[in-house]
Amino acid sequence: MKPPAAVHTRGFMLVLLWLLDVLQTNTARKNDIDIYSLTVDSKVSSRFSHTVVTSRVVNRADTVQEATFQMELPRKAFITNFSMVMDGVTYPGNIKEKAAAQEQYSAAVAQGKSAGLVKATGRKTEQFQVSVSVAPSAKVTFELVYEELLRRHLGVYELLLKVQPQQPVKHLQMDIHIFEPQGISLLETESTFVTNELVDALTISQNATKAHILFKPTLSQKQKPPKLQDTVLDGSLIVRYDVNRTHSGGSIQIENGYFVHYFAPEGLSTMPKNVVFVIDKSGSMSGRKIQQTREALIKILDDLSSKDQFNLIVFSGRAAQWKPALVPASVENVNEARSFASDIQAFGGTNINDAMQMAVQLLDSSNREELLPGGSVSLIILLTDGDPTEGEINPARIQENVREAIGGRYSVFCLGFGFHVSYAFLEKLALDNGGLARRIYEDSDSALQLQDFYQEVANPLLTAVAFEYPSNAVDEVTRENFPLFFKGSEMVVAGKLRDQSPDVLSAKVSGQTHTQNITFQTESSVAQQEEEFQSPKYIFHNFMERLWAYLTIQQLLEQSVSASDAERQALETRALNLSLRYSFVTPLTSMVVTKPEGQEQSQVAEKPAEDGGWGLESQPPRQQGWTQHSPHVTIQGPGPPQASPAQPFANPLSPLPHPCPPSLLSLPQEPCTAVPAPIQAPSAILPLPGRSVEQLCVDFKHSQGPMNLLSDPDQGLEVTGQYEEKAAGFSWIKVTFKNPQLQVHVSPEHVVVTRNRRNSVYKWKETLFSVMPGLKMTMDKMGLLLLSGPDKVTIGLLSWDGPGEGLRLLLRDTDRFSSHVSGTLGQFYQEVLWGSPEASDDSKRTLRVQGNDYPATRELKVDYQVGPPGTEVSCWTVEL
């Protein structure tokens, strides 16, 4: 294996994201720190995950080496244990009240040492790091344990694993067990490191209530081919699942004296919404942010239901509303709002107070005039990128003004764009008014982040939801009242069973739909539930008590945001006591890492705050590198220049041919050489198996609006796209499947996969291997995305950077098209009649399709189907 370039002088790096981000060791080999075993064991019992990561390393050098253990875990997860074992001695992490560890922490900072072990990193993660000195030939075992309650988001629960060992590991294993008594209704896996060589290393099994995902490659499977020796494994594994649901009051599960009640009923209709969008257009929003806001707002407007009412308020130093009152989301009004949104320009200061007061007054006015439909839900959605600078600028006073104006009648959702805004201010503003806050990260997918947030709140199903249990049966129950329930989410209530509780635990859940008050009732046998959770070997026992403690701590911390000073103290004291009792690293506790005598003892793990975890220079990394194109050479940083395959790589020091300007050929001039136009890749290549002509090249002559490229109702398939003459290629292509319901939208920038209103964004040329019922989706390092399935035509989408670069469409297994296939390209899979070559020019002939004649010419083209650099082929070509 070719050793990678050094980025450290000593040590190795273990990176863990969700279940795992495994050991960055591009320098480990060089320093003889060898990872000989790495295991991840994750047990998910009724949505509660318990993850144990164990890494064993040895120092094969003859000098002391420093090993750095670094991991990422979800911000919602709580670390429960970390330990190191050296020379048979265990050095545990001790969890203490934050104040008790502060003196030790401050002393280390004063000495200039990096005492903090945890900092915020990615959008949903925080990073934990520990360093230790390792003697020659000595071994160290690192063990990390953390726990999290998986929350349902747009219809699924999600586990994410990322592996980056960058060296062969003798024993590498990821073992995930999922147990859901309600039954598993959906199971999908997605990976960015599983290649053809590693497919057999990933095994997935499932029955009614259990799922097992095992990744256990052999050493030979982990070794890449010689030409790909820079890394061994590098990427992520995602497991998504959902459970069976009914129209009843949900599922009550009981284990070891504790219960959890999951509530997400099916079959409810979406309630009408009254939505006021409050959009910051201050000067700091200029450029990319306001452009992405306009783009997202236009898409969100398109998603409004015809039963909804809405209005727009834009603000900088002053606030202005689009219409004097709420208007129905009719086609005419939505189109007019789209035009308004597309013209929003950024300038001026930030007056949040006046804008929010205007939004409340809009809803109040409609309410007084009885224009709000009965059973509707009123929402205010605020998007801002900065703190208030004009009008009322005191954050506490703004929060108080909004809370008093709303009076509990409407819900507020706050979106903070970037890192110049106080997230704590927006979080309290939202929580005070029955909503939630979300940060929108400045990146190429910011518009999609905004759309995804809207999808979370787009379908309210219930309001005023209340859980009731017999007072003689339960104790210390978590939150029991919720203002709103949205489609795709889930409400969770947990508590203790009393010593003399009944044999059957019953529950009543009440709420309001848009037409009526509704009550759900459910019950659960205590003995039967206890037995169900005792037997399976893959369940970590007493998990439900820890789930209850986890949920209680989170809710106490959330309540403290909106509490008075006196109430906050009581809430935090209770949360602290639970954190210490159950050994959770929370915002109120710290973990002091102990080490062998003589090594630095001042490392403390604390949970970072949302606002404090990032410096501006610490924002999520963007993709680095640069690309420059010419007709003959493609130079891509940071790697060396590479010749474009369709043209020879010219010696940069040799004289280049001097092209002849056509208009000057008759005039005296210095000698010149005619330069032929480079051979280009066609817009599409259509394989025609079993025909007299085995493949057909198609070029588009002019820019064409959205086109129906392929449509086959029997296949449940539709492919549309837009061709841009200036770009000499497609500006976008969209593939829609009916089974499974999925949409893939590709642009030159990225790939967006939409399933159940949930968007996933991928960069081109990132390895992808995704398996879902009825469909497999793969992408390789060449940028070829393949969508295939049993009895399906395989659709390929390619980010082609060869001659005639741009998006390309590929088709395989075309014999599976039905007789009902149609479309600009699909028509060529109906009966095609080829005329004889012309007598004067055998490179020309005519083909007839469905009564239409198309001239065809035999031309040299670059076949992109085999990937870069492509091959020259002689192809019958038609222009459309």
Side-chain angles (χ1 to χ4, degrees):
M1 171 178 172
K2 179 182 176 181
V7 296
H8 274 290
T9 56
R10 302 166 73 89
F12 72 91
M13 184 172 290
L14 170 64
V15 181
L16 206 145
L17 175 55
W18 181 209
L19 298 177
L20 169 78
D21 203 320
V22 192
L23 293 177
Q24 284 271 50
T25 54
N26 40 348
T27 59
R29 277 299 181 80
K30 196 166 186 177
N31 298 313
D32 294 311
I33 293 290
D34 183 31
I35 314 161
Y36 63 90
S37 176
L38 181 60
T39 63
V40 176
D41 182 65
S42 184
K43 292 180 170 63
V44 182
S45 306
S46 294
R47 287 75 144 175
F48 194 66
S49 67
H50 174 88
T51 302
V52 181
V53 181
T54 307
S55 173
R56 294 178 170 86
V57 304
V58 60
N59 179 11
R60 302 197 185 281
D62 55 6
T63 58
V64 174
Q65 300 289 312
E66 185 178 75
T68 300
F69 179 94
Q70 185 179 12
M71 54 152 283
E72 293 183 17
L73 68 156
R75 292 187 183 181
K76 296 294 185 182
F78 291 157
I79 293 174
T80 65
N81 187 44
F82 172 77
S83 64
M84 296 181 290
V85 179
M86 301 178 68
D87 297 325
V89 179
T90 300
Y91 299 91
N94 299 318
I95 296 177
K96 303 180 179 181
E97 181 181 359
K98 184 170 288 188
Q102 191 61 41
E103 181 179 347
Q104 189 171 349
Y105 178 86
S106 301
V109 172
Q111 295 170 17
K113 297 177 180 178
S114 179
L117 298 182
V118 183
K119 64 179 181 179
T121 51
R123 295 180 182 179
K124 300 178 181 179
T125 59
E126 54 198 29
Q127 186 184 84
F128 172 88
Q129 178 174 303
V130 169
S131 298
V132 64
S133 297
V134 186
S137 302
K139 295 181 179 180
V140 183
T141 297
F142 297 100
E143 184 178 274
L144 173 83
V145 184
Y146 59 90
E147 296 174 343
E148 182 186 17
L149 176 62
L150 305 181
R151 306 310 294 256
R152 191 168 184 245
H153 174 72
L154 293 175
V156 294
Y157 310 97
E158 182 175 289
L159 298 174
L160 172 63
L161 304 81
K162 189 172 181 181
V163 288
Q164 295 178 318
Q166 299 198 15
Q167 76 170 59
V169 178
K170 185 176 182 180
H171 180 225
L172 173 63
Q173 177 175 304
M174 289 174 261
D175 201 8
I176 307 168
H177 287 276
I178 300 172
F179 176 60
E180 291 290 349
Q182 287 177 251
I184 298 173
S185 63
L186 169 73
L187 181 67
E188 300 176 356
T189 61
E190 174 185 310
S191 170
T192 61
F193 61 77
V194 174
T195 60
N196 290 332
E197 292 79 19
L198 290 172
V199 167
D200 294 337
L202 180 65
T203 58
I204 303 167
S205 58
Q206 177 189 354
N207 62 20
T209 59
K210 308 166 194 169
H212 182 208
I213 298 93
L214 176 66
F215 181 69
K216 189 177 181 180
T218 63
L219 197 60
S220 60
Q221 287 174 325
K222 287 175 282 187
Q223 186 70 36
K224 284 193 173 182
K227 64 180 180 179
L228 297 174
Q229 286 290 305
D230 291 339
T231 59
V232 178
L233 289 180
D234 184 359
S236 60
L237 174 66
I238 299 171
V239 180
R240 297 187 182 99
Y241 76 94
D242 198 16
V243 301
N244 295 321
R245 302 180 192 282
T246 66
H247 297 266
S248 70
S251 171
I252 297 177
Q253 298 166 24
I254 301 167
E255 190 243 5
N256 200 31
Y258 287 80
F259 79 91
V260 62
H261 185 177
Y262 294 109
F263 179 75
E266 294 285 287
L268 298 177
S269 300
T270 298
M271 304 177 74
K273 301 188 299 297
N274 313 300
V275 191
V276 181
F277 298 97
V278 183
I279 307 299
D280 184 348
K281 63 165 190 171
S282 60
S284 57
M285 285 284 290
S286 62
R288 192 183 194 188
K289 283 194 284 189
I290 199 67
Q291 177 184 346
Q292 292 175 322
T293 299
R294 289 193 298 256
E295 177 187 339
L297 189 54
I298 288 170
K299 293 283 183 62
I300 289 170
L301 290 169
D302 287 339
D303 287 337
L304 288 171
S305 166
S306 59
K307 298 177 182 179
D308 295 338
Q309 296 187 107
F310 74 105
N311 205 338
L312 305 172
I313 293 175
V314 293
F315 71 94
S316 50
R318 300 177 63 183
Q321 56 196 48
W322 167 57
K323 292 287 187 180
L326 294 175
V327 298
S330 63
V331 174
E332 181 181 357
N333 286 333
V334 167
N335 286 337
E336 188 178 343
R338 282 166 53 96
S339 298
F340 175 82
S342 64
D343 290 334
I344 296 175
Q345 302 297 324
F347 62 90
T350 306
N351 191 335
I352 295 176
N353 187 74
D354 286 3
M356 291 299 291
Q357 293 297 322
M358 183 177 288
V360 176
Q361 290 164 13
L362 264 174
L363 291 170
D364 283 347
S365 175
S366 295
N367 202 12
R368 284 193 301 270
E369 297 174 19
E370 298 184 349
L371 297 177
L372 300 182
S376 63
V377 175
S378 297
L379 311 175
I380 298 173
I381 299 178
L382 167 68
L383 170 66
T384 182
D385 77 330
D387 295 333
T389 62
E390 295 195 25
E392 178 58 72
I393 61 173
N394 184 314
R397 200 160 293 142
I398 294 172
Q399 292 162 344
E400 182 181 353
N401 291 344
V402 174
R403 184 175 63 252
E404 290 179 354
I406 288 178
R409 294 167 298 152
Y410 319 129
S411 294
V412 173
F413 296 87
C414 298
L415 302 174
F417 207 143
F419 288 87
H420 292 283
V421 64
S422 169
Y423 187 82
F425 162 66
L426 293 181
E427 182 180 40
K428 180 171 172 55
L429 185 63
L431 292 176
D432 281 352
N433 298 284
L436 56 87
R438 183 71 49 80
R439 190 186 296 282
I440 302 299
Y441 293 84
E442 293 183 56
D443 212 334
S444 61
D445 67 339
S446 296
L448 286 170
Q449 294 177 54
L450 291 167
Q451 293 170 49
D452 277 352
F453 171 81
Y454 176 73
Q455 287 299 330
E456 291 183 55
V457 300
N459 295 283
L461 303 180
L462 288 171
T463 61
V465 183
F467 290 72
E468 295 181 45
Y469 305 94
S471 59
N472 65 337
V474 299
D475 195 11
E476 295 192 50
V477 179
T478 60
R479 182 180 179 184
E480 299 174 89
N481 295 278
F482 303 85
L484 288 167
F485 171 63
F486 294 102
K487 182 178 181 180
S489 66
E490 182 176 64
M491 292 179 174
V492 185
V493 178
K496 295 181 181 181
L497 296 181
R498 291 183 178 271
D499 291 338
Q500 304 299 322
S501 63
D503 294 336
V504 175
L505 177 61
S506 61
K508 181 172 72 173
V509 184
S510 59
Q512 296 177 2
T513 69
H514 69 292
T515 58
Q516 62 180 344
N517 295 331
I518 189 170
T519 300
F520 303 86
Q521 292 190 329
T522 189
E523 60 182 28
S524 186
S525 165
V526 175
Q528 181 180 343
Q529 285 286 313
E530 291 277 12
E531 181 180 356
E532 186 166 20
F533 283 109
Q534 289 301 318
S535 56
K537 64 180 181 181
Y538 42 81
I539 300 304
F540 64 102
H541 297 294
N542 298 324
F543 79 92
M544 204 163 289
E545 180 178 355
R546 298 191 64 81
L547 185 159
W548 165 82
Y550 173 99
L551 186 60
T552 301
I553 292 167
Q554 280 206 329
Q555 291 182 355
L556 289 170
L557 293 173
E558 186 177 283
Q559 291 169 29
S560 70
V561 172
S562 297
S564 64
D565 291 342
E567 292 172 331
R568 183 181 303 112
Q569 182 62 44
L571 292 168
E572 290 184 351
T573 297
R574 187 181 171 206
L576 171 62
N577 291 335
L578 284 172
S579 300
L580 293 172
R581 177 180 171 186
Y582 291 95
S583 296
F584 285 136
V585 178
T586 71
L588 303 175
T589 56
S590 300
M591 182 172 68
V592 179
V593 175
T594 59
K595 296 184 182 180
E597 187 176 352
Q599 298 197 34
E600 178 190 352
Q601 297 292 317
S602 305
Q603 292 189 299
V604 178
E606 295 183 343
K607 201 162 187 66
E610 171 69 31
D611 274 318
W614 284 93
L616 292 180
E617 56 281 344
S618 302
Q619 295 185 21
R622 299 173 183 267
Q623 188 174 9
Q624 301 299 313
W626 46 270
T627 305
Q628 183 177 5
H629 297 284
S630 71
H632 301 288
V633 181
T634 299
I635 307 171
Q636 183 166 347
Q642 297 180 356
S644 177
Q647 298 291 334
F649 193 100
N651 181 346
L653 300 179
S654 63
L656 294 173
H658 175 59
C660 301
S663 60
L664 302 177
L665 287 178
S666 59
L667 300 177
Q669 56 187 327
E670 94 182 56
C672 62
T673 304
V675 179
I679 299 172
Q680 301 290 315
S683 304
I685 299 176
L686 307 180
L688 305 172
R691 310 286 181 91
S692 58
V693 174
E694 291 194 351
Q695 66 179 13
L696 177 68
C697 294
V698 178
D699 279 324
F700 293 100
K701 291 185 292 186
H702 308 292
S703 295
Q704 304 200 27
M707 294 182 289
N708 176 15
L709 300 173
L710 288 166
S711 181
D712 190 335
D714 294 8
Q715 285 271 313
L717 169 69
E718 183 177 78
V719 182
T720 56
Q722 182 162 317
Y723 183 82
E724 297 288 349
E725 185 178 9
K726 290 182 179 179
F730 289 97
S731 58
W732 58 265
I733 300 174
K734 182 169 67 177
V735 183
T736 304
F737 292 96
K738 288 186 178 179
N739 186 25
Q741 291 188 350
L742 179 129
Q743 186 181 94
V744 180
H745 188 285
V746 301
S747 66
E749 291 76 34
H750 48 227
V751 176
V752 180
V753 178
T754 304
R755 179 155 163 76
N756 296 331
R757 302 177 293 122
R758 185 182 65 254
N759 291 316
S760 299
V761 183
Y762 309 95
K763 295 177 181 177
W764 285 107
K765 302 185 180 181
E766 287 188 348
T767 306
L768 175 65
F769 184 88
S770 177
V771 179
M772 60 195 78
L775 187 69
K776 181 170 74 173
M777 181 168 55
T778 66
M779 182 161 59
D780 60 24
K781 292 290 186 182
M782 301 298 181
L784 174 58
L785 178 67
L786 290 176
L787 308 167
S788 60
D791 303 319
K792 280 186 169 66
V793 176
T794 296
I795 304 295
L797 301 165
L798 176 66
S799 176
W800 171 253
D801 53 12
E805 64 181 28
L807 299 176
R808 292 293 186 274
L809 177 70
L810 290 84
L811 299 174
R812 298 177 183 172
D813 307 310
T814 55
D815 56 319
R816 297 175 179 174
F817 275 127
S818 75
S819 59
H820 300 111
V821 63
S822 62
T824 305
L825 301 179
Q827 63 178 324
F828 295 104
Y829 290 95
Q830 295 289 355
E831 185 177 356
V832 176
L833 300 177
W834 286 90
S836 301
E838 296 181 8
S840 59
D841 188 347
D842 61 3
S843 66
K844 295 182 179 180
R845 59 196 301 190
T846 300
L847 74 159
R848 172 167 291 189
V849 182
Q850 296 182 324
N852 297 316
D853 288 342
Y854 295 96
T857 306
R858 175 75 77 173
E859 296 179 4
L860 280 178
K861 294 288 185 180
V862 174
D863 186 351
Y864 56 79
Q865 299 176 104
V866 296
T871 58
E872 289 186 5
V873 294
S874 178
C875 184
W876 285 103
T877 303
V878 297
E879 290 187 344
L880 300 177

